[in-house]
């Protein structure tokens, strides 16, 4: 039987409708499927609220709307670029980062590996406000690479934007090309992702995010401040795309071997943090992690990720099941906790309803 059943999907879609009606997000797109089987899709709400943005009228959400994917960039953008370098034999997961980025220096940093960065085990802090006035993209990368560790590598799980900014710099250094170009050539083109990318042109239908104080709404301008300071191209945030493209990435990039070899996929979905205060794969959030959004019923072998703007994905390789939920919750402000509850709810509803 194709998963999810129509009945289960209808119940989950109703929960998305309720979240929109309750003001937890202006709009959302839910897609779920199994392998390459035809997926079920539900689109509801607005891409832009006139009352929030000052636009002359509301703009409805459609299946072609692009979203600011926020931290889904980590697993859809940077992670595959790093793993492809591993598949090429140009780097290894247990290479020291300093081997490829000599300016990654400071006490204890000589022990940090590529694997540490991918699994959020590097000891780097979670976040810093890097986009200071006058700072250029290169300045932000330099400051990131000089950031001191807060813990010894491999001893503590701290979800770190700085770690993925470092990984983006590593990709650019080895490929001798900008991260957005590497992603476009090595990930998007092979997988047929035609409706996603960094720095959208502005002609795409893009869901609005949070209006800046005293300014026009952000449509196509990345929400994350550090990524914006890096001209929209960063290892931790900056990717935009449609729900259909995100679903294609999960199906072809992780549930089949259209991009990566089996051994790298399996390593990325295996827990790298046993015995520590979190459950992380390479890039991926695993079941039982503090940021696990996959509800009670999603398989324990599942993996997923979230994005601050309201986005999330989940997959489970043995069954081939996958879920994409894209929402522009931050358009209504940063305190929309209802979308966090919605993420957990829909995964359970897709599995428990019959």
């Amino acid at each position: 039987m194709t998963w999810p059943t129509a009945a289960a999907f209808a119940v989950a879609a109703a929960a998305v409708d309720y979240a929109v009606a309750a003001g937890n997000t202006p709009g959302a797109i839910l897609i779920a499927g199994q392998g390459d089987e035809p997926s079920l899709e539900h689109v509801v709400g607005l891409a832009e609220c006139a009352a929030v943005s000052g636009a002359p009228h509301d703009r409805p959400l459609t299946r072609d709307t692009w979203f600011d994917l926020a931290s889904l960039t980590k697993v859809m953008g940077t992670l595959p670029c790093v793993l492809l370098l591993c598949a090429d034999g140009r780097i290894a997961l247990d290479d020291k980062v300093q081997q490829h980025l000599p300016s990654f220096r400071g006490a204890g940093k000589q022990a940090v590996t590529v694997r540490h960065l991918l699994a959020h085990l590097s000891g780097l802090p979670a976040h810093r406000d890097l986009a200071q006035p006058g700072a250029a993209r290169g300045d932000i990368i330099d400051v990131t690479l000089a950031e001191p560790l807060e813990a010894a590598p491999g001893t503590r799980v701290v979800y770190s934007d700085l770690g993925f900014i470092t990984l983006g710099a590593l990709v650019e250094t080895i490929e001798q090309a900008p991260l957005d170009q590497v992603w476009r050539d090595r990930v998007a083109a092979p997988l047929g992702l035609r409706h996603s990318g960094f720095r959208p042109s502005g002609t795409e239908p893009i869901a609005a995010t949070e209006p800046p104080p005293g300014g026009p709404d952000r449509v196509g301008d990345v929400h994350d401040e550090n990524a914006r300071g890096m001209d929209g191209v960063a290892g931790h945030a900056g990717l935009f795309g449609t729900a259909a493209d995100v679903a294609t990435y999960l199906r072809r990039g992780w549930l089949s071997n259209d991009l990566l070899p089996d051994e790298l996929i399996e390593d990325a979905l295996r827990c790298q943090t046993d015995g520590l205060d979190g459950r992380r794969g390479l890039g991926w959030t695993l079941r039982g992690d503090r940021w696990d959004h996959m509800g009670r019923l999603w398989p324990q072998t599942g993996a997923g990720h979230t994005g601050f703007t309201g986005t999330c994905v989940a997959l489970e390789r043995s069954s081939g099941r996958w879920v994409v939920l894209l929402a522009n919750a931050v358009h209504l402000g940063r305190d929309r906790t209802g979308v966090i509850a919605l993420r957990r709810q829909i995964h359970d509803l897709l599995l428990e309803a019959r």
Side-chain angles (χ1 to χ4, degrees), residues 83 86-87 93 254 260-269 282:
L83 294 182
C86 294
L93 288 171
W254 291 90
L260 296 165
D262 257 340
E263 59 269 22
L264 281 174
I265 292 174
E266 290 168 2
D267 202 11
L269 297 176
L282 300 177

Side-chain angles (χ1 to χ4, degrees), residues 112-113 115-124 151-160 272-274 276-278 280-281:
V112 177
T113 66
R115 187 186 301 273
H116 284 144
L117 291 175
L118 287 170
H120 298 283
L121 286 172
S122 66
L124 285 168
T155 64
R156 194 171 76 182
V157 181
V158 175
Y159 177 78
S160 176
Q272 307 284 324
T273 59
D274 285 332
L276 299 175
D277 54 342
R280 289 275 166 179

Side-chain angles (χ1 to χ4, degrees), residues 275-315:
L276 299 175
D277 54 342
R279 297 201 77 250
R280 289 275 166 179
L282 300 177
W284 294 102
T285 304
L286 303 184
R287 299 309 323 272
D289 187 79
R290 75 192 70 175
W291 301 111
D292 178 4
H293 66 286
M294 293 168 272
R296 298 175 294 105
L297 302 179
W298 195 254
Q300 291 303 304
T301 50
H305 212 281
T306 63
F308 186 79
T309 51
T311 59
C312 69
V313 297
L315 61 92

